[in-house]
Structure formats: C-alpha cells, structure tokens
C-alpha cells in the first residue's frame, strides 16, 4: 500500500502548489458581461457569463440541467455554460486556472483542499441524501448481513483516496464489518464497475448516479444498503449517513471569485433554488422526464430500461434542494475529520459564503 499513499501525497502536493502559485484569470476573475444572447434575456440590464461543472451522463447534474433547460439561468440574467470535470481534484484545478467558476462536489472533498490553502467555499446545496450505494454480487450475499459482510474481500470504488472510498469504508464499518479486511480497488468509469460485478473481479462496488440501479436491473448484484432511500429493515443504512445526508453534495466556488462577482454568485444560487423547487413539484414530473432524456446513462440493453430511467429520476428528484443545512454540513466535516484522519480547525460556518446585499 505504500506506493499508493505516495501517489496520493504527490497528487495533493501538486494541487497544493497549484492553489498557492496560480495567478491570472483563475484568482478573483471577473465574470464577463456579454450581450443578451436571445429574447429570454430582454428583462436583463446586465448578462454575466459563468461556467459550472457537470459530470458526463450523470443524474447528479439534474439540478443544473433543469436550471438551464427550464430557463432559470436566463431568468437570473446568466449565460451559464457547462464545463465537464468528472472528479473534484480536476475541478479544483479548474477553479484555480479559471476554466470553471462553480463546481459541484461531494461535501467531504472541499475541507481538505481548504486546509491546503485553496480558498473554496460552499455556496449552495444539491443533494440531501448520500448518493452512494453498496451493491454486492449475488454469489457473495449470505444468509444475513453479517455473513454478507464477511464474504466481501475485494470492493470496487471510483478512485483510491477519494470520497467514494471513504464512504465505502463507512458502509462496511457502519453495517458491522471490518473495512481493514477488504481490498479496495479504484475502477473509475461505471462500465468498469458493472463489468467487475458481472465477471467476478470484485465482490461488491460502491457507486453513485444510476450505476447502482443499472447493476441491479442487469442482474449483476443486490443493493445491500441504499442511503438514497429511507432506512428500514430491508435497507440498513449506516448511522453516520443519517446525520450527514442533508449536505451530501454541494456547490462551491473560490472565495476570490465570489468576492469579485457577488451578483453573479447570488444569481447562480437563485437559479439553483428555482430549479430545486421546480423539480420538487410532482406536477412537473413528466416534463422532468423529458428534460433528462439523453442526459443520463442507462444503456438500452438494460432490462426494463424505461422503468430504471424513471425510477432513478424519481429517487433523485426527492433528494434535491439548494438550501444549506448547517447542522448536516458540520456533521459532514466531523465525518471528514474521522474518515480522512485530518486535523481540521475550521467549522461549517467558516466554509459557507455569507451572502452580502
């Protein structure tokens, strides 16, 4: 394991150096004022161009997709353009270089970067329940949960050292297993996760988006714990996820950018809030299905693909809210300190942008 830790340390060192040394457009850049691109901006005195992070084909983009397609960005006088980054280290680098203004990250990813000197602050919420699930291969499911956990020797996560791995460890320990008895392997893309379950490379995976739903629908495994849904006898959820869930994925930006662009930041947060309210309304559900067509990855070959598509959207629609729950955020900081063995001195209040008039 030692070389793995060295690689992780080198990655963090590179990002730390980048955060401290970068100058120019990424540090406190001013959002450009642009000409109104269409009649939907006729009410605007000024239009600001901003960029925001999206993940390829992932349902966790739903809030931003709706803000775009339903015109909430335009209503807030923002020309908001997506910028594709599929993990937090690369998106953090993007904020420093000026390639992206607003990023969407697992909450436990931000405090370590702040500790390393990168001035990222939370500005809005996204998902109000943990979005990872533990899927176990059929032949590893025992007569009870304890036996199932003893059967897990190799578990796949997105990347070693990332939020996914730390949540995976909490799944195992929180359900009564020993995460130190498990070999954790980074598998990257959803296709690798699904293939690993199908061919027996891994005993279980911890994944997010719709991959866990596709895995179950395809017959590759069983959802042993799914915090996206209420806990119960058939769905044991580690206790720590119950307290942290309301702040599981959040929007953030560099404080230096926010300070130069408070109006654009307020407008971005307002658009997210309007999108969250729209998504929550059951009256908009059919339109939400239409809006998400082609935006999430559910292969046509998946049995009952249409049902998986709609059920996944229904699941995530119940998880979206732009309002920040400070108590949940503080619990996530405590989770981060524990899971990553970090000496964090900041609390939730230090990490959230205080909107100014």
């Amino acid at each position: 394991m030692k070389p793995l830790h060295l690689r992780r340390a080198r990655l963090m060192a590179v990002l730390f150096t980048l955060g401290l040394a970068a100058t120019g457009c990424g540090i406190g850049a001013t959002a450009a004022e642009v000409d109104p691109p269409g009649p939907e901006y006729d009410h605007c005195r000024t239009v600001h161009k901003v960029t925001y992070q999206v993940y390829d084909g992932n349902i966790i983009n739903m809030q931003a997709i709706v803000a775009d397609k339903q015109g909430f960005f335009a209503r807030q006088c923002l020309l908001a353009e997506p910028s594709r980054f599929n993990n937090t280290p690369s998106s953090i680098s993007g904020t420093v270089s000026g390639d992206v203004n607003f990023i969407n990250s697992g909450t436990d990813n931000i405090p370590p970067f702040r500790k390393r000197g990168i001035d990222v602050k939370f500005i809005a919420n996204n998902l109000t329940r943990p979005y990872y699930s533990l899927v176990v291969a059929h032949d590893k499911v025992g007569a009870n949960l304890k036996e199932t956990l003893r059967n897990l020797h190799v578990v796949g996560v997105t990347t070693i050292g990332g939020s996914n791995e730390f949540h995976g460890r909490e799944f195992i320990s929180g359900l009564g297993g020993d995460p130190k008895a498990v070999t954790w392997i980074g598998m990257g893309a959803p296709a690798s996760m699904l293939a690993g379950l199908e061919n027996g490379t891994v005993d279980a995976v911890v994944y997010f988006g719709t991959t866990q739903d596709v895995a179950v629908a395809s017959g590759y495994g069983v959802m042993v714990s799914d915090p996206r849904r209420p806990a119960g006898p058939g769905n044991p959820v580690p206790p720590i996820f119950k307290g942290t869930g309301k702040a599981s994925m959040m929007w953030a930006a560099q404080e230096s950018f926010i300070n130069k662009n408070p109006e654009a930041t307020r407008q971005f947060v307002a658009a997210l809030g309007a999108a969250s309210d729209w998504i929550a309304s059951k009256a908009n559900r059919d339109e939400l299905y239409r809006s998400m067509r082609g935006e999430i990855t559910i292969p046509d070959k998946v049995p009952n693909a249409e049902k998986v598509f709609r059920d996944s959207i229904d699941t995530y629609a119940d998880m979206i809210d732009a309002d920040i729950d400070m108590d949940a955020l503080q619990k996530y900081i405590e989770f981060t300190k524990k899971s990553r063995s970090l000496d964090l001195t900041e609390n939730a209040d230090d990490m959230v942008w205080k909107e100014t008039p």
Side-chain angles (χ1 to χ4, degrees), residues 31-51:
E33 294 185 10
V34 296
D35 292 332
E40 65 271 32
Y41 291 88
D42 286 348
H43 63 289
C44 300
R45 184 171 59 183
T46 303
V47 177
H48 288 111
K49 181 179 179 181
V50 296
T51 53

Side-chain angles (χ1 to χ4, degrees), residues 79-130:
L79 178 58
E81 297 184 346
S83 189
R84 301 193 180 279
F85 295 91
N86 282 330
N87 58 65
T88 296
S90 63
S91 66
I92 291 284
S93 298
T95 67
V96 173
S97 65
D99 292 329
V100 64
N101 304 134
F102 301 111
I103 64 171
N104 197 5
S105 173
T107 307
D108 59 314
N109 282 322
I110 297 301
F113 285 98
R114 284 184 58 82
K115 185 174 175 60
R116 289 173 171 83
I118 301 178
D119 66 331
V120 182
K121 281 205 168 186
F122 295 114
I123 61 169
N125 205 359
N126 183 356
L127 298 180
T128 62
R129 293 180 197 160

Side-chain angles (χ1 to χ4, degrees), residues 14 35 57 72 84 91 101 115 130 135 165 169 205 210 212 238 288-289 295 344-345:
V14 168
D35 292 332
F72 296 121
R84 301 193 180 279
S91 66
N101 304 134
K115 185 174 175 60
V135 182
E165 180 196 348
R169 290 178 179 275
V205 298
T210 56
Q212 60 268 65
L288 179 60
Y289 296 145
E295 300 286 355
L344 296 176
T345 57

Side-chain angles (χ1 to χ4, degrees), residues 239-268:
I240 194 168
F241 293 157
K242 296 176 185 177
T244 62
K246 292 182 180 178
S248 63
M249 173 163 273
M250 300 179 71
W251 289 91
Q254 277 200 281
E255 189 172 13
S256 46
F257 173 85
I258 296 169
N259 290 340
K260 273 199 171 184
N261 305 279
E263 181 182 7
T265 303
R266 282 194 296 270
Q267 291 167 327
F268 188 79

Side-chain angles (χ1 to χ4, degrees), residues 315-331:
T315 296
Y316 283 90
D318 289 339
M319 297 167 60
I320 289 177
D321 192 341
D323 292 335
I324 296 176
D325 185 312
M326 295 297 288
D327 182 61
L329 176 54
Q330 185 61 48
K331 286 184 171 66

Side-chain angles (χ1 to χ4, degrees), residues 61-73 271 274-276 278-279 288 291-292:
N61 298 327
M62 185 189 294
Q63 190 186 45
I65 288 170
V66 167
D68 177 28
K69 290 190 174 183
Q70 295 301 319
F72 296 121
F73 283 140
S276 298
W278 188 92
I279 290 168
L288 179 60
S291 293
M292 296 301 294

